[in-house]
Amino acid sequence: MLLVLWLLLLLPALAYAVRPGDGAVLAPARLAVVRASVLLGAYAIGVVEVASAFTALTAPAVLTAWLAATAAVIAAVLVRSVRDVAPDDGGGGPLARLTGRGQPLDALREELRSRRGATRRTWRRTKSAAAAAPAWQWALGCVIAILAISVAVLAIASSPNNFDSQTYHLPRIEHWVQNASVAVYPTDIHRQVDIGPGSEYLLTHLRILSGGDAAYNLLQFLAGIGAALAASRIAAQLGGGPVAQLATVFLLATTPEILLQASSTQVDLVAAAWVACLATIVLDEFTRPGDGALLRITAPRSDALYLGLALGLIAVTKSTGLLAAAPLLLVWGVGRLVRDGHRRRPCLCGRSPQRCSRADASRAATARAATVAASLAILAIALILVGPFLLRMQQAFGHPLGPDVLRDSIGVQTADPRLLLVNGLRIAQTNLDTPLFFLSDAFAAAVNGLANLMGVDPNDPRITFGSTRFPVPAWYPDEDRAAFPVTGVAALAGLVWFAVKGPRLRRAYAAVLAAAFIGVACTVSWQPWVNRLVVFLVVLGAPAAGLLAAGIAKGFVKTARERGRRRAACALVTVIAVVASLAGFLTVAYGYPRRLAGTWSVFSVTDIEERFMRRREWMPQYEEAAAAVAATDPDRVGLVQGNDSWEYPWWILLPADTEIFALQSIVPGQTPPDPATMDAIVCAEDLDECRMLVPDDWEYHELGTVAYAIPPAGS
């Protein structure tokens, strides 16, 4: 926890150092946090890659890197403080101005007093505005605060127990720490080496410096806060006031899938936060106050840096986020080119109006070249972050996107528009599933009926993951499946409102989200847990819902005399708020696999029971096998398992100094060690393969799903 606090202190300090100038952008404080988060995230990724290149991913190397980062942040804060405190009057450098040289000391003191006075006045106005807020706004704020605190308690009190985390998210971190490198290693679970590792890179810092996984859940919790912060700023950039921003945060804070993932070691919320960071930086291109020449000259340079870092973080964390990043960057580039093409020659004395209004072709060409250069810089910066991982995939599997089995199992394998339409509708039905079964059943029946009408199989294997079948119930609060009907319908209504009567920026934003969803439908096969794969769309869609809610709330005043319309609007918003709040409270109280109340509350189970919450029947088998192996005091333990087996429990149950090696490998060119060189062997699920690999003279014991083998006594 001290380590987390250390890192959290760096964030606001760096945010202060990189915050934009006064009047440069909307919501500058939130943009400063976004910038600092992107910089720290990219730095953490870079540290892992550089240390791995020298097989030095160790505690001393990581600690040194963060000490250096702390020193750099302190230096940046001091430089920014000097620049802020001492106004530039042309009398020497910042240090001279700070000491009063080049400016009378009394004048400097007066400047400082005026700035402190302005800060106090701003604080008083903020307090007054907060005090004058209607009761319903305070109620929404209380709901947000209660849910945030509840999820924080879950994140701190819970042990990692997500299914995929037991299989590949967390075991890969243990292999990296053991190998002091993130290089590809032998394994029978291909997802440990070919799925984007960005989130796990961040967890690796916590693992190396703390020696355990106690703080793992906090990464997604902080990502959830960051996503809400960025989404609220997007609402402001799209023209929303405080009410719209509050509604945006409220909707995200009550979305079951986001609440569940915020205390998990999944990666979808981390990816969504990076996508939201990219989106809010893109919108700065169209929402900067004023049109000062200095802002227009300097902004593209800094924007290119942060856009490139955000794009790289998305690519290295979860590639589905690129489905939103691509149209966002396209809008950014096209918007700049269109604006640059309309640059006008400044009107000078003595020139005719016709000549004054003529476009300056040379300046426009220079501006276009700058936009192209900035676009190339964005791609180059992103490749610096994700390039090492793509290179490893190319070397290991002959393709930068990994093995065929990964792309074939997750991706859509057809271009048939009928199947793509069915795939998109199935995803939408699963997203909007509700406990009102007549609605869910009707939606599913309509999708299946449309598929039959078009002559296609709604469960065609080219658009369906594995042997799963549509539909599945997704309304209940399970972190892998939880639907979001309230947020989804509200966001959809807001985007339709944008498209019908919004200004051009809102219409462009709606088009971006439409393109992103179409991209998901055309590339991601439907699967029962598809809801967590589109969390980034939920975060991006919430601002549209927030603006729509604010528009309805504004209508309360306009239609105060028309009681019927006023009551109907009030009732609609109230019902949505109550339903969303109820869903949020029930999710944190009784969500699965972590909950605050009930029989399996985090306060009523042991650490090991909590880790096996998904498969409680496996716990005694793992414990018995691990205890028998630990009794032999092994140095090297071999591992036999299937593609979806739980590996992480072995890293928890076996002695901390034990090295664990996979005895099977699906990775080309990575040969696993000889089983005879191991001191013991543990197996999970794939017991037939285990019997074949265990040396003939070893003692072999099957316990059901789990087995273990140890050498004969005295060997």
Side-chain angles (χ1 to χ4, degrees):
M1 296 304 297
L2 290 176
L3 172 63
V4 173
L5 291 176
W6 175 22
L7 298 178
L8 287 179
L9 288 176
L10 284 182
L11 182 65
L14 183 58
Y16 168 77
V18 300
R19 76 186 194 281
D22 295 338
V25 293
L26 294 172
R30 278 173 278 180
L31 178 59
V33 175
V34 167
R35 288 179 172 180
S37 301
V38 169
L39 287 171
L40 287 178
Y43 180 77
I45 300 293
V47 168
V48 170
E49 290 289 3
V50 172
S52 295
F54 298 95
T55 318
L57 190 58
T58 59
V62 174
L63 181 60
T64 300
W66 283 108
L67 288 174
T70 302
V73 170
I74 292 173
V77 169
L78 291 176
V79 171
R80 186 60 185 262
S81 298
V82 170
R83 293 172 56 188
D84 287 348
V85 169
D88 188 1
D89 64 341
L95 185 58
R97 294 194 299 274
L98 181 61
T99 56
R101 277 178 262 163
Q103 180 181 8
L105 193 57
D106 292 341
L108 181 59
R109 291 196 183 107
E110 185 61 32
E111 175 70 18
L112 292 175
R113 289 194 198 97
S114 66
R115 293 193 179 198
R116 285 195 294 267
T119 301
R120 294 192 192 99
R121 287 191 295 273
T122 301
W123 173 245
R124 292 193 194 101
R125 286 195 297 269
T126 303
K127 288 178 62 178
S128 300
W136 64 268
Q137 293 185 23
W138 279 101
L140 295 186
C142 289
V143 171
I144 294 170
I146 292 171
L147 290 174
I149 293 172
S150 300
V151 174
V153 170
L154 279 174
I156 295 171
S158 303
S159 299
N161 60 1
N162 171 263
F163 193 104
D164 285 347
S165 296
Q166 309 287 352
T167 300
Y168 68 93
H169 286 309
L170 303 187
R172 70 197 309 189
I173 297 175
E174 299 301 321
H175 283 287
W176 295 339
V177 174
Q178 177 176 284
N179 301 335
S181 171
V182 295
V184 175
Y185 56 87
T187 178
D188 200 43
I189 302 176
H190 68 86
R191 291 170 293 173
Q192 289 187 8
V193 295
D194 59 31
I195 292 285
S199 183
E200 291 90 337
Y201 280 0
L202 303 181
L203 292 178
T204 300
H205 289 266
L206 297 175
R207 169 63 178 85
I208 290 176
L209 294 180
S210 68
D213 59 12
Y216 277 6
N217 291 334
L218 289 176
L219 175 62
Q220 285 249 114
F221 175 74
L222 295 175
I225 293 177
L229 181 146
S232 69
R233 186 169 187 268
I234 291 172
Q237 291 171 299
L238 294 174
V243 173
Q245 296 169 50
L246 176 63
T248 297
V249 176
F250 173 79
L251 282 172
L252 290 178
T254 55
T255 301
E257 182 63 24
I258 291 178
L259 289 171
L260 292 163
Q261 288 226 15
S263 62
S264 168
T265 46
Q266 272 288 9
V267 304
D268 305 284
L269 205 47
V270 175
W274 296 137
V275 173
C277 289
L278 178 79
T280 191
I281 298 171
V282 163
L283 291 177
D284 277 336
E285 178 61 34
F286 309 97
T287 59
R288 288 189 181 90
D291 194 25
L294 181 61
L295 293 179
R296 293 302 181 185
I297 291 173
T298 59
R301 297 178 182 177
S302 62
D303 283 357
L305 170 63
Y306 294 113
L307 288 173
L309 293 177
L311 180 62
L313 288 168
I314 294 168
V316 79
T317 302
K318 201 173 186 71
S319 57
T320 49
L322 296 175
L323 297 172
L328 281 168
L329 289 174
L330 180 63
V331 168
W332 178 85
V334 171
R336 282 189 53 79
L337 290 173
V338 170
R339 190 199 68 216
D340 295 340
H342 289 83
R343 288 180 182 270
R344 299 289 177 179
R345 184 189 301 274
C347 211
L348 303 177
C349 294
R351 290 187 175 178
S352 64
Q354 292 79 10
R355 190 172 182 182
C356 286
S357 63
R358 187 183 307 160
D360 187 344
S362 62
R363 289 182 62 196
T366 302
R368 292 193 190 97
T371 298
V372 173
S375 301
L376 294 176
I378 291 170
L379 295 177
I381 294 170
L383 281 176
I384 291 174
L385 286 180
V386 73
F389 171 68
L390 297 180
L391 180 60
R392 287 194 296 274
M393 294 301 97
Q394 178 66 40
Q395 293 172 341
F397 301 105
H399 196 289
L401 299 182
D404 293 340
V405 63
L406 174 65
R407 301 192 302 278
D408 293 345
S409 61
I410 297 177
V412 168
Q413 303 299 314
T414 181
D416 188 332
R418 299 172 301 169
L419 289 175
L420 297 180
L421 175 60
V422 171
N423 192 49
L425 291 174
R426 292 188 304 171
I427 293 173
Q429 191 277 341
T430 309
N431 294 163
L432 304 178
D433 191 33
T434 73
L436 302 175
F437 302 123
F438 66 93
L439 289 178
S440 297
D441 293 344
F443 196 167
V447 174
N448 289 331
L450 178 62
N452 294 330
L453 185 64
M454 294 188 297
V456 298
D457 180 5
N459 290 296
D460 191 297
R462 291 172 292 178
I463 56 171
T464 306
F465 181 87
S467 59
T468 58
R469 297 188 64 82
F470 172 84
V472 296
W475 59 268
Y476 56 92
D478 183 313
E479 69 174 348
D480 286 336
R481 299 193 181 193
F484 34 85
V486 174
T487 308
V489 171
L492 182 60
L495 292 171
V496 171
W497 178 50
F498 279 10
V500 171
K501 59 181 302 184
R504 284 187 297 178
L505 182 58
R506 292 187 185 180
R507 290 179 177 175
Y509 189 79
V512 164
L513 265 69
F517 182 82
I518 292 172
V520 170
C522 294
T523 58
V524 179
S525 295
W526 177 88
Q527 46 204 278
W529 43 90
V530 71
N531 289 342
R532 67 178 180 79
L533 302 183
V534 296
V535 169
F536 68 97
L537 292 180
V538 178
V539 173
L540 293 183
L547 265 75
L548 179 60
I552 296 176
K554 190 176 180 181
F556 294 171
V557 178
K558 287 186 176 181
T559 62
R561 296 180 179 178
E562 302 175 19
R563 294 184 178 180
R565 292 176 57 188
R566 183 177 184 274
R567 289 175 179 173
C570 183
L572 175 63
V573 173
T574 301
V575 168
I576 292 175
V578 170
V579 171
S581 300
L582 182 62
F585 287 130
L586 290 176
T587 296
V588 296
Y590 298 104
Y592 189 72
R594 292 167 303 281
R595 58 177 58 179
L596 290 176
T599 305
W600 299 104
S601 163
V602 294
F603 304 114
S604 62
V605 296
T606 64
D607 175 77
I608 195 65
E609 287 176 334
E610 190 173 5
R611 292 178 184 276
F612 281 90
M613 191 62 65
R614 286 284 190 186
R615 294 291 186 271
R616 292 191 291 272
E617 67 276 12
W618 291 353
M619 185 180 73
Q621 301 177 34
Y622 270 88
E623 287 186 307
E624 182 179 346
V629 169
T632 66
D633 193 22
D635 293 324
R636 294 161 57 88
V637 173
L639 184 65
V640 180
Q641 57 194 1
N643 181 59
D644 209 26
S645 299
W646 281 18
E647 177 180 327
Y648 191 59
W650 299 122
W651 294 94
I652 298 298
L653 295 171
L654 292 173
D657 58 349
T658 303
E659 293 185 307
I660 300 179
F661 301 90
L663 301 181
Q664 311 146 281
S665 179
I666 198 174
V667 183
Q670 296 291 327
T671 303
D674 186 347
T677 64
M678 300 291 110
D679 299 321
I681 295 175
V682 292
C683 313
E685 295 190 286
D686 198 353
L687 302 188
D688 292 337
E689 181 74 10
C690 185
R691 283 190 292 269
M692 295 175 58
L693 290 174
V694 170
D696 294 336
D697 59 339
W698 283 31
E699 299 177 14
Y700 175 73
H701 304 270
E702 285 192 9
L703 305 175
T705 302
V706 171
Y708 69 95
I710 55 178
S715 63

